[in-house]
Amino acid sequence: MPSQTNTERPSGKFLRNAWYVAGFSHELKQKPLLARTILSQPVLLYRDESGELAAIGNRCPHRFAPLSMGRLVGDQVRCIYHGLGFDRSGKCVHNPHGPTGSIAVPAFPLAERDGIVWIWMGEAALADLSTVPRFDRLDTAGYHVDYGYLHGSAHYELMSDNILDLSHIEFLHPALGTEAVSKAKVLVEQQPDRIVVTRRMRDEVLHPGLGGVYRTGTRPVNRTMTVSWAAPANLTLWVDVETIDDGQPWQSGSQSLHLFTPETDSSTHYFYVASLDREKADEATAESFFNALQRVFTTEDKPIIDAQAELIGHSDIMELKPALLPIDKANVFARRRLSKMIAQESGGPNHDSGS
Amino acid sequence: MPSQTNTERPSGKFLRNAWYVAGFSHELKQKPLLARTILSQPVLLYRDESGELAAIGNRCPHRFAPLSMGRLVGDQVRCIYHGLGFDRSGKCVHNPHGPTGSIAVPAFPLAERDGIVWIWMGEAALADLSTVPRFDRLDTAGYHVDYGYLHGSAHYELMSDNILDLSHIEFLHPALGTEAVSKAKVLVEQQPDRIVVTRRMRDEVLHPGLGGVYRTGTRPVNRTMTVSWAAPANLTLWVDVETIDDGQPWQSGSQSLHLFTPETDSSTHYFYVASLDREKADEATAESFFNALQRVFTTEDKPIIDAQAELIGHSDIMELKPALLPIDKANVFARRRLSKMIAQESGGPNHDSGS
Amino acid sequence: MPSQTNTERPSGKFLRNAWYVAGFSHELKQKPLLARTILSQPVLLYRDESGELAAIGNRCPHRFAPLSMGRLVGDQVRCIYHGLGFDRSGKCVHNPHGPTGSIAVPAFPLAERDGIVWIWMGEAALADLSTVPRFDRLDTAGYHVDYGYLHGSAHYELMSDNILDLSHIEFLHPALGTEAVSKAKVLVEQQPDRIVVTRRMRDEVLHPGLGGVYRTGTRPVNRTMTVSWAAPANLTLWVDVETIDDGQPWQSGSQSLHLFTPETDSSTHYFYVASLDREKADEATAESFFNALQRVFTTEDKPIIDAQAELIGHSDIMELKPALLPIDKANVFARRRLSKMIAQESGGPNHDSGS
């Protein structure tokens, strides 16, 4: 398990006024007091007696014991060391040894949507619930949905670069690449709130695994991959496949979310959510698709990202002046936007909210 | 095994002119050349041919091989690498390759008392054998005595804070806490050479384990816990239990020593010694008591101290401005005294010895 | 496996214009794309389609993926991440996404001699194939030859010091030391391009293992050990043994190369090559000799070097002012020469080549 850091001060390197994934709803059932370092701050996530989620600093201000080692008593988290109790606002509301005074830990705005728990690490007054990211295809009535978590030992931008980059498919992922992939151009589109990358493969016979997932078998298909990046590092990847089956048009597809939350400067929480239409795929197909997604990332993407992180070391890849190619356009756009947002934020929390 | 550090210079953070536990007498039987880093200095402990203890620097000044890898030849420790021999004064007295010249390693004053080996890491001229700490209840004729060692991955003051702090009992140690504990006040007394903390529990029914150790069973008892801190970090904890058994007064109790020696800035040698009166407890009871002590520390105290150390990181807890509560009084007193002693010492070794 | 470092810039601490062992020829058969950090630079060694060796930077300049994770396509190494192809000159000659432009990785001069692959990490124009170190007794027709590799967690000079130092034999290596060894002086001779150390043992009965290797049994022998150091850290050790067997003179001997290449400031590639005359020793004798060499280094030398490195820490041993003895003469000479060469080189690559 990654260690928690020793400071609660912002590092100045992260976009703070943004919604980040803190975890999945189901994790809070498995672990009622969930400790997670987010943007280098120790955070405790839990659900109080009413079932409502709370997120407070995980470091007891008295002796710096992790509150996650304590227990839930009513709506309080009680520290295991000396019994101090904190409510969801972070305020100390129970002190068996005297008055609670002004003892407190930070508290963080939260939002729970579609099984995903979002946290706001910046200025609480700026947290706007209407801006919590939402995604289609997460209702389990219509979709098979799979939630997964991986810990990454690399900077989160290196990990989001990898998903936004559709140009590596045929090199890194033999089972996803075909002649048609090599011929297909990667198109990048800048939208006000996102960057969208598209790659359209024509007349392609999918590898048997994929042909099974999309029920296109060995028939020629048109396949479109679309990935959408939104700051700070939330990506959605759609694969749309169409073919003619027995004279009838057949359309299928999948969606996967790739949501990256910085743990520290050099490590990342990688939350992913994959969806497959129940009308187009049965349970077994979905399971094999979900397994394949994880296998591909774990055995093909992750080793490369870990190796990059090791060769890059403590530097930012951009400081090392990499050779920039046209295929890096989307990543350059995304990094530039994020840098600008971080710079604006450092100018003051209200800097870009008008005057 | 913790690694030895790479410098023989004082770090300026430790009280140097003080007796520290270097080890137990029985350890020297198990390991005739015992390497131990103390106050960040590599030390070699051994017993020479006459059976007398010696402590010298463990780093051969020729090629910096650890002398502990060598062997004892008469009253010399011979380096395994080139055969240089050093006597208990640290002087090189054997050089197979030429004259010994002024080659030497440091030598440290030692004292062996009641199975405990004490070392003086400061100015040798100031080492006063009459100030070596002594403790009652260590004679094995009258007491069951158990010696134990644990390595701690935290600053030694964080570890001694934990023992001096009687206010955490009912929170961290379920088997030691009762309603009576919660009602009992923690009293702190400053004495010239020590800080004494007391907590008196009245009309308490002990948990079955403790009731067995003190042979009070389920009868109501009065229990007094007293812990005494002496600089730099030597603590004694007494538990005294009294009850009425079959109309007769029954008194029992236990003693445990908690002696902390800094290994480095962030790691600690934890030596403990527990005693139980042979007249009040048989062998089996003593063994179960000793096991319980170690289990409680290992499974309840140590995880918290390790977690604190991780959240505190390289900082001193006081620099992070913890919320100070009245229950921290003893620790604040102890830390303040020790800081003052270290500051006085830094002003020169004779600074506080009059003029 | 040791990790690769994150910079391609010289550290200023190594002699750069020199031939270093990069590996053995047989390693390239076992691992067609061999990644190795040399002088803190990530290097990829491989053999192209024509069988010729190549050494280029292992860090793809595009996204910093290790090229060693890619594959060989014709005479190119193709990056696994985006398919960029590099030839043996380091130039990018294949870019599936557009023009190759000036994309390149460093390329390093190489030489393959007697199963040893030498690399030149300095200015390529200064690489002179006529200066590649050569050694006798490596032709397998006449000699049993054994190639071995060990990874060292110490500075390379600490490791080469140990081989150049013939004065530690009887202390560190019980099976190599006799009364005759203790009596034998260590002689040091400075030659223009090397430092030679000799120790001659007279009328010595070898330990049974050695008596078997040299087929001298329990007869008295004269044994001469000679070790020759050449910058930066390449050593040859000869053992020559002579005796009278059944009235006839009998001569035997062995050779071992100890070739040290800095991996980083604190770790070393240790390549060794041992030779035994086929006319004097059969296969089984050679195998037992080779095993003994490795056992001695692994169980006797390496633990001491590791322990030294730990006690020395990040310092250079010379900065810690070790007690210098007459037996250190060869090491002092060697270190002084190397320092001078590094200083001259830092004055500019052409500094000592005239003007």
Side-chain angles (χ1 to χ4, degrees), chain A residues 132-342:
Chain A
V132 175
R134 297 301 299 268
F135 304 96
D136 292 333
R137 309 196 201 178
L138 297 182
D139 66 297
T140 52
Y143 294 89
H144 304 282
V145 183
D146 185 56
Y147 294 81
Y149 172 86
L150 288 164
H151 183 262
S153 302
H155 193 278
Y156 69 102
E157 285 185 276
L158 211 55
M159 300 188 73
S160 83
D161 281 352
N162 176 64
I163 300 293
L164 186 54
D165 163 26
L166 291 183
S167 68
H168 74 252
I169 302 170
E170 64 268 43
F171 305 102
L172 191 55
H173 307 299
L176 304 181
T178 62
E179 184 70 24
V181 172
S182 301
K183 284 182 190 156
K185 289 239 167 83
V186 176
L187 304 174
V188 178
E189 186 190 348
Q190 292 222 56
Q191 295 182 3
D193 61 341
R194 57 191 58 242
I195 289 161
V196 179
V197 176
T198 315
R199 199 169 186 185
R200 290 176 208 279
M201 280 66 77
R202 317 289 300 181
D203 284 323
E204 181 187 24
V205 174
L206 297 177
H207 283 259
L210 282 185
V213 167
Y214 301 119
R215 277 172 50 196
T216 57
T218 54
R219 286 181 294 282
V221 306
N222 291 337
R223 174 168 62 138
T224 302
M225 298 181 75
T226 310
V227 59
S228 160
W229 171 93
N234 298 318
L235 297 103
T236 311
L237 173 66
W238 296 277
V239 179
D240 293 298
V241 175
E242 50 180 29
T243 189
I244 304 295
D245 183 7
D246 213 5
Q248 299 297 316
W250 166 262
Q251 290 190 322
S252 184
S254 62
Q255 172 186 284
S256 56
L257 309 178
H258 305 264
L259 311 169
F260 299 99
T261 299
E263 181 185 54
T264 67
D265 282 352
S266 58
S267 60
T268 299
H269 301 294
Y270 176 15
F271 301 95
Y272 62 89
V273 187
S275 303
L276 216 50
D277 193 332
R278 286 188 184 276
E279 285 188 12
K280 310 279 172 135
D282 60 16
E283 204 77 46
T285 302
E287 195 177 323
S288 98
F289 173 63
F290 297 150
N291 289 341
L293 269 191
Q294 180 172 350
R295 191 176 55 243
V296 165
F297 186 81
T298 308
T299 65
E300 298 176 358
D301 294 274
K302 190 166 170 25
I304 275 291
I305 295 170
D306 289 351
Q308 282 178 284
E310 200 173 336
L311 283 175
I312 291 168
H314 294 295
S315 310
D316 181 302
I317 187 172
M318 288 305 170
E319 291 167 7
L320 299 177
K321 304 206 179 302
L324 289 175
L325 305 183
I327 51 171
D328 301 315
K329 198 157 74 171
N331 282 338
V332 168
F333 287 161
R335 283 172 170 267
R336 206 177 280 162
R337 272 201 204 185
L338 184 58
S339 290
K340 200 174 158 190
M341 290 169 80
I342 292 172

Side-chain angles (χ1 to χ4, degrees), chain A residues 2-7 42 58-59 61-66 69 79-84 95-97 99 103, chain B residues 158 161-162 165 167-168 171-172 303-304 307-308 310-315 317 320 322-323 325 327-328 331 335:
Chain A
S3 65
Q4 298 198 331
T5 55
N6 64 334
T7 169
N58 193 31
R59 199 172 78 170
H62 172 227
R63 293 292 297 174
F64 298 167
M69 294 178 81
C79 183
I80 193 178
Y81 206 1
H82 296 88
L84 295 189
N95 176 1
H97 316 283
I103 300 170
Chain B
L158 210 55
D161 282 351
N162 177 64
D165 163 24
S167 67
H168 74 250
F171 305 102
L172 190 56
I304 275 291
Q308 283 178 285
E310 201 173 336
L311 283 174
I312 291 167
H314 295 295
S315 309
I317 187 172
L320 299 178
L325 305 183
I327 52 172
D328 300 316
N331 282 338
R335 284 172 171 265

Side-chain angles (χ1 to χ4, degrees), chain C residues 24-301:
Chain C
F24 291 128
S25 301
H26 71 263
E27 292 184 285
L28 274 300
K29 282 179 199 145
Q30 294 157 358
K31 214 163 183 177
L33 293 176
L34 177 62
R36 192 157 267 163
T37 296
I38 298 176
L39 276 58
S40 292
Q41 284 188 253
V43 173
L44 169 68
L45 296 158
Y46 67 98
R47 211 176 276 286
D48 66 20
E49 275 195 325
S50 65
E52 208 180 340
L53 275 177
I56 60 176
N58 192 31
R59 199 172 79 171
C60 178
H62 172 226
R63 294 291 298 173
F64 299 166
L67 294 178
S68 55
M69 294 178 80
R71 65 204 172 93
L72 209 51
V73 177
D75 276 359
Q76 298 171 21
V77 177
R78 293 268 176 90
C79 183
I80 193 178
Y81 206 2
H82 296 87
L84 295 189
F86 298 85
D87 70 11
R88 56 179 301 110
S89 76
K91 201 173 147 16
C92 177
V93 291
H94 177 78
N95 176 1
H97 317 282
T100 56
S102 58
I103 301 170
V105 291
F108 306 98
L110 282 178
E112 191 172 12
R113 301 277 185 278
D114 320 304
I116 303 172
V117 178
W118 297 86
I119 194 167
W120 183 271
M121 301 295 292
E123 201 174 334
L126 300 179
D128 179 352
L129 289 175
S130 74
T131 64
V132 175
R134 297 302 298 270
F135 304 96
D136 292 333
R137 308 195 202 179
L138 297 183
D139 66 296
T140 52
Y143 293 88
H144 304 283
V145 183
D146 185 56
Y147 294 81
Y149 171 86
L150 287 164
H151 183 262
S153 302
H155 193 278
Y156 69 101
E157 286 185 275
L158 210 55
M159 299 188 74
S160 83
D161 281 351
N162 177 65
I163 299 294
L164 186 53
D165 163 26
L166 291 183
S167 67
H168 74 251
I169 301 170
E170 64 269 42
F171 304 101
L172 190 56
H173 307 299
L176 304 181
T178 62
E179 185 68 26
V181 172
S182 302
K183 285 182 190 157
K185 289 239 166 85
V186 175
L187 303 174
V188 178
E189 186 190 349
Q190 291 221 58
Q191 295 181 2
D193 62 340
R194 55 192 60 243
I195 289 161
V196 179
V197 177
T198 316
R199 199 169 186 185
R200 290 175 208 279
M201 280 65 76
R202 318 290 301 182
D203 285 322
E204 181 187 24
V205 175
L206 297 177
H207 283 260
L210 281 185
V213 167
Y214 300 119
R215 276 172 51 195
T216 56
T218 54
R219 288 180 292 283
V221 305
N222 291 338
R223 175 168 62 137
T224 302
M225 298 180 77
T226 310
V227 60
S228 160
W229 171 93
N234 298 319
L235 297 104
T236 311
L237 173 66
W238 296 276
V239 178
D240 293 299
V241 176
E242 51 180 29
T243 189
I244 305 295
D245 183 9
D246 215 6
Q248 299 298 316
W250 166 261
Q251 290 191 320
S252 183
S254 61
Q255 172 186 284
S256 56
L257 309 178
H258 306 264
L259 311 169
F260 300 99
T261 299
E263 181 185 54
T264 68
D265 283 351
S266 57
S267 60
T268 299
H269 301 294
Y270 176 16
F271 301 95
Y272 63 88
V273 188
S275 303
L276 215 52
D277 193 333
R278 285 188 185 276
E279 286 188 11
K280 310 279 171 133
D282 61 16
E283 203 76 47
T285 301
E287 195 178 322
S288 98
F289 173 63
F290 297 150
N291 289 341
L293 268 191
Q294 181 171 350
R295 191 176 55 243
V296 164
F297 185 81
T298 308
T299 66
E300 298 175 358
D301 294 275

